[in-house]
mmCIF file of all heavy atoms in Angstrom:
data_model
loop_
_atom_site.group_PDB
_atom_site.id
_atom_site.type_symbol
_atom_site.label_atom_id
_atom_site.label_comp_id
_atom_site.label_asym_id
_atom_site.label_seq_id
_atom_site.Cartn_x
_atom_site.Cartn_y
_atom_site.Cartn_z
ATOM 1 N N LEU A 278 153.135 -102.416 33.784
ATOM 2 C CA LEU A 278 151.749 -102.021 34.020
ATOM 3 C C LEU A 278 151.022 -103.068 34.859
ATOM 4 O O LEU A 278 151.177 -104.270 34.641
ATOM 5 C CB LEU A 278 151.014 -101.831 32.697
ATOM 6 C CG LEU A 278 151.561 -100.753 31.752
ATOM 7 C CD1 LEU A 278 150.696 -100.646 30.506
ATOM 8 C CD2 LEU A 278 151.621 -99.397 32.458
ATOM 9 N N ASP A 279 150.218 -102.599 35.802
ATOM 10 C CA ASP A 279 149.447 -103.477 36.680
ATOM 11 C C ASP A 279 148.072 -102.846 36.836
ATOM 12 O O ASP A 279 147.874 -101.949 37.657
ATOM 13 C CB ASP A 279 150.148 -103.619 38.032
ATOM 14 C CG ASP A 279 149.401 -104.540 38.990
ATOM 15 O OD1 ASP A 279 148.380 -105.120 38.584
ATOM 16 O OD2 ASP A 279 149.841 -104.651 40.153
ATOM 17 N N ILE A 280 147.109 -103.302 36.007
ATOM 18 C CA ILE A 280 145.778 -102.693 35.975
ATOM 19 C C ILE A 280 144.767 -103.758 36.407
ATOM 20 O O ILE A 280 144.356 -104.603 35.610
ATOM 21 C CB ILE A 280 145.450 -102.168 34.562
ATOM 22 C CG1 ILE A 280 146.606 -101.288 34.044
ATOM 23 C CG2 ILE A 280 144.150 -101.384 34.571
ATOM 24 C CD1 ILE A 280 146.459 -100.870 32.594
ATOM 25 N N PRO A 281 144.366 -103.736 37.685
ATOM 26 C CA PRO A 281 143.445 -104.772 38.192
ATOM 27 C C PRO A 281 142.070 -104.674 37.539
ATOM 28 O O PRO A 281 141.670 -103.603 37.058
ATOM 29 C CB PRO A 281 143.352 -104.455 39.698
ATOM 30 C CG PRO A 281 144.542 -103.597 39.990
ATOM 31 C CD PRO A 281 144.799 -102.817 38.739
ATOM 32 N N PRO A 282 141.335 -105.780 37.507
ATOM 33 C CA PRO A 282 139.982 -105.742 36.940
ATOM 34 C C PRO A 282 139.068 -104.818 37.746
ATOM 35 O O PRO A 282 139.136 -104.767 38.970
ATOM 36 C CB PRO A 282 139.519 -107.198 37.018
ATOM 37 C CG PRO A 282 140.385 -107.838 38.047
ATOM 38 C CD PRO A 282 141.690 -107.126 37.988
ATOM 39 N N ARG A 310 141.884 -99.009 27.197
ATOM 40 C CA ARG A 310 141.605 -98.647 28.586
ATOM 41 C C ARG A 310 142.242 -97.318 28.978
ATOM 42 O O ARG A 310 142.110 -96.868 30.117
ATOM 43 C CB ARG A 310 142.058 -99.758 29.526
ATOM 44 C CG ARG A 310 141.261 -101.059 29.328
ATOM 45 C CD ARG A 310 141.852 -102.204 30.111
ATOM 46 N NE ARG A 310 141.081 -103.441 29.992
ATOM 47 C CZ ARG A 310 141.202 -104.331 29.028
ATOM 48 N NH1 ARG A 310 142.071 -104.117 28.053
ATOM 49 N NH2 ARG A 310 140.472 -105.424 29.006
ATOM 50 N N ASN A 376 139.888 -99.567 33.802
ATOM 51 C CA ASN A 376 139.557 -100.973 33.552
ATOM 52 C C ASN A 376 138.223 -101.329 34.205
ATOM 53 O O ASN A 376 138.034 -102.451 34.672
ATOM 54 C CB ASN A 376 140.667 -101.878 34.083
ATOM 55 C CG ASN A 376 140.587 -103.288 33.519
ATOM 56 O OD1 ASN A 376 139.910 -103.530 32.523
ATOM 57 N ND2 ASN A 376 141.255 -104.231 34.165
ATOM 58 N N ASN A 385 137.045 -106.099 28.276
ATOM 59 C CA ASN A 385 136.570 -107.000 29.322
ATOM 60 C C ASN A 385 137.031 -106.470 30.683
ATOM 61 O O ASN A 385 138.181 -106.664 31.067
ATOM 62 C CB ASN A 385 137.097 -108.417 29.106
ATOM 63 C CG ASN A 385 136.422 -109.428 30.017
ATOM 64 O OD1 ASN A 385 135.872 -109.071 31.060
ATOM 65 N ND2 ASN A 385 136.457 -110.692 29.632
ATOM 66 N N PRO A 386 136.142 -105.811 31.432
ATOM 67 C CA PRO A 386 136.539 -105.235 32.726
ATOM 68 C C PRO A 386 136.812 -106.281 33.801
ATOM 69 O O PRO A 386 137.251 -105.936 34.890
ATOM 70 C CB PRO A 386 135.327 -104.362 33.101
ATOM 71 C CG PRO A 386 134.179 -104.961 32.366
ATOM 72 C CD PRO A 386 134.747 -105.504 31.090
ATOM 73 N N ARG A 387 136.571 -107.562 33.508
ATOM 74 C CA ARG A 387 136.833 -108.618 34.503
ATOM 75 C C ARG A 387 138.268 -109.133 34.417
ATOM 76 O O ARG A 387 138.680 -109.952 35.248
ATOM 77 C CB ARG A 387 135.849 -109.772 34.297
ATOM 78 C CG ARG A 387 134.381 -109.396 34.523
ATOM 79 C CD ARG A 387 133.446 -110.528 34.136
ATOM 80 N NE ARG A 387 133.556 -110.819 32.704
ATOM 81 C CZ ARG A 387 132.927 -111.817 32.099
ATOM 82 N NH1 ARG A 387 132.162 -112.642 32.804
ATOM 83 N NH2 ARG A 387 133.063 -112.009 30.798
ATOM 84 N N ASN A 388 139.015 -108.663 33.407
ATOM 85 C CA ASN A 388 140.379 -109.173 33.209
ATOM 86 C C ASN A 388 141.426 -108.219 33.782
ATOM 87 O O ASN A 388 141.322 -106.995 33.631
ATOM 88 C CB ASN A 388 140.664 -109.355 31.714
ATOM 89 C CG ASN A 388 140.045 -110.619 31.165
ATOM 90 O OD1 ASN A 388 139.486 -111.416 31.910
ATOM 91 N ND2 ASN A 388 140.142 -110.794 29.858
ATOM 92 N N TRP A 389 142.450 -108.815 34.397
ATOM 93 C CA TRP A 389 143.656 -108.043 34.723
ATOM 94 C C TRP A 389 144.357 -107.686 33.414
ATOM 95 O O TRP A 389 144.337 -108.464 32.452
ATOM 96 C CB TRP A 389 144.582 -108.882 35.603
ATOM 97 C CG TRP A 389 145.917 -108.224 35.867
ATOM 98 C CD1 TRP A 389 146.221 -107.391 36.896
ATOM 99 C CD2 TRP A 389 147.114 -108.351 35.091
ATOM 100 N NE1 TRP A 389 147.537 -106.977 36.810
ATOM 101 C CE2 TRP A 389 148.112 -107.549 35.704
ATOM 102 C CE3 TRP A 389 147.443 -109.038 33.922
ATOM 103 C CZ2 TRP A 389 149.402 -107.448 35.208
ATOM 104 C CZ3 TRP A 389 148.726 -108.926 33.426
ATOM 105 C CH2 TRP A 389 149.694 -108.145 34.054
ATOM 106 N N VAL A 390 144.985 -106.531 33.368
ATOM 107 C CA VAL A 390 145.639 -106.070 32.143
ATOM 108 C C VAL A 390 147.063 -105.628 32.458
ATOM 109 O O VAL A 390 147.315 -104.932 33.456
ATOM 110 C CB VAL A 390 144.867 -104.895 31.500
ATOM 111 C CG1 VAL A 390 145.535 -104.474 30.189
ATOM 112 C CG2 VAL A 390 143.421 -105.272 31.240
ATOM 113 N N GLY A 391 147.988 -106.034 31.581
ATOM 114 C CA GLY A 391 149.372 -105.594 31.690
ATOM 115 C C GLY A 391 149.861 -105.071 30.360
ATOM 116 O O GLY A 391 149.088 -104.862 29.414
ATOM 117 N N TYR A 392 151.171 -104.882 30.263
ATOM 118 C CA TYR A 392 151.772 -104.346 29.037
ATOM 119 C C TYR A 392 151.730 -105.386 27.921
ATOM 120 O O TYR A 392 151.897 -106.586 28.159
ATOM 121 C CB TYR A 392 153.219 -103.943 29.302
ATOM 122 C CG TYR A 392 153.994 -103.590 28.063
ATOM 123 C CD1 TYR A 392 153.912 -102.318 27.518
ATOM 124 C CD2 TYR A 392 154.782 -104.548 27.408
ATOM 125 C CE1 TYR A 392 154.606 -101.988 26.361
ATOM 126 C CE2 TYR A 392 155.474 -104.227 26.250
ATOM 127 C CZ TYR A 392 155.379 -102.945 25.731
ATOM 128 O OH TYR A 392 156.065 -102.630 24.594
#
Side-chain angles (χ1 to χ4, degrees):
L278 299 182
D279 181 4
I280 309 173
R310 295 171 177 85
N376 196 16
N385 191 338
R387 297 173 297 175
N388 281 355
W389 174 90
V390 183
Y392 171 84

